[in-house]
Amino acid sequence: MPSDPQGHYQGPGPHPADVIQLDTPDLATPAYIHLPPRWASQTAKAGGSVAQLVICIAPLPGHSTATTGRCMYAKPGGYNMSLRLLVDVSYQVTVRTADTGRQLQSFKLKGDASDSESCPNLAPPEGEQIPRIVSAGILVAKLKPLLDGTAS
């Protein structure tokens, strides 16, 4: 059971969190990274809990245009394949309290997920490059002290 069903970041963990991706300063979408159930605020809804932390992931400008992998998609009819290229991207990760917006931590991570993890289910437009994403394991390891620790 989360430490505080009112969404205040205090006391012992686990502290449920929501992960969002900031595609642009004005556009936030649910992130591609899913936290383990003990930290995901969605699983806490049955107990009436809400997120205590918000984890924002934003791609940093100036990413590489060098191809580091590829995604293959079936064309309509399934007989031909369509290729999209993966490129390296670094991300700014910022963790804030959900109730006050107080920043707790900020750091950079390089996209390190495998090709299959980074490839979206639906093919982006022809010629569009796909950013390599951060693996959930790396992000969770970095955030574990905040998600499981005792907040003051």
Side-chain angles (χ1 to χ4, degrees):
M1 185 64 155
S3 62
D4 179 11
Q6 301 306 312
H8 302 291
Y9 181 64
Q10 60 189 20
H15 301 286
D18 282 332
V19 183
I20 61 170
Q21 179 157 334
L22 300 173
D23 298 314
T24 69
D26 299 327
L27 178 62
T29 58
Y32 49 81
I33 295 177
H34 300 286
L35 294 174
R38 62 187 262 118
W39 295 318
S41 68
Q42 297 86 342
T43 61
K45 286 181 181 175
S49 183
V50 296
Q52 294 178 8
L53 300 172
V54 177
I55 302 160
C56 300
I57 301 174
L60 292 169
H63 66 271
S64 169
T65 56
T67 302
T68 62
R70 56 188 176 170
C71 302
M72 298 297 292
Y73 296 95
K75 288 187 175 182
Y79 297 108
N80 296 318
M81 298 300 284
S82 177
L83 172 70
R84 302 295 185 278
L85 302 176
L86 284 168
V87 294
D88 282 339
V89 175
S90 292
Y91 297 88
Q92 183 70 42
V93 179
T94 305
V95 183
R96 297 182 178 277
T97 60
D99 57 350
T100 66
R102 178 172 55 106
Q103 182 175 312
L104 300 174
Q105 192 173 31
S106 186
F107 53 89
K108 294 176 184 169
L109 287 177
K110 185 176 178 180
D112 68 329
S114 69
D115 288 9
S116 62
E117 290 173 306
S118 294
C119 293
N121 291 333
L122 298 174
E126 192 77 38
E128 187 173 305
Q129 294 179 324
I130 301 170
R132 187 172 299 281
I133 65 173
V134 173
S135 66
I138 296 297
L139 183 64
V140 166
K142 185 86 172 166
L143 296 175
K144 189 171 179 9
L146 288 176
L147 296 169
D148 266 345
T150 298
S152 52

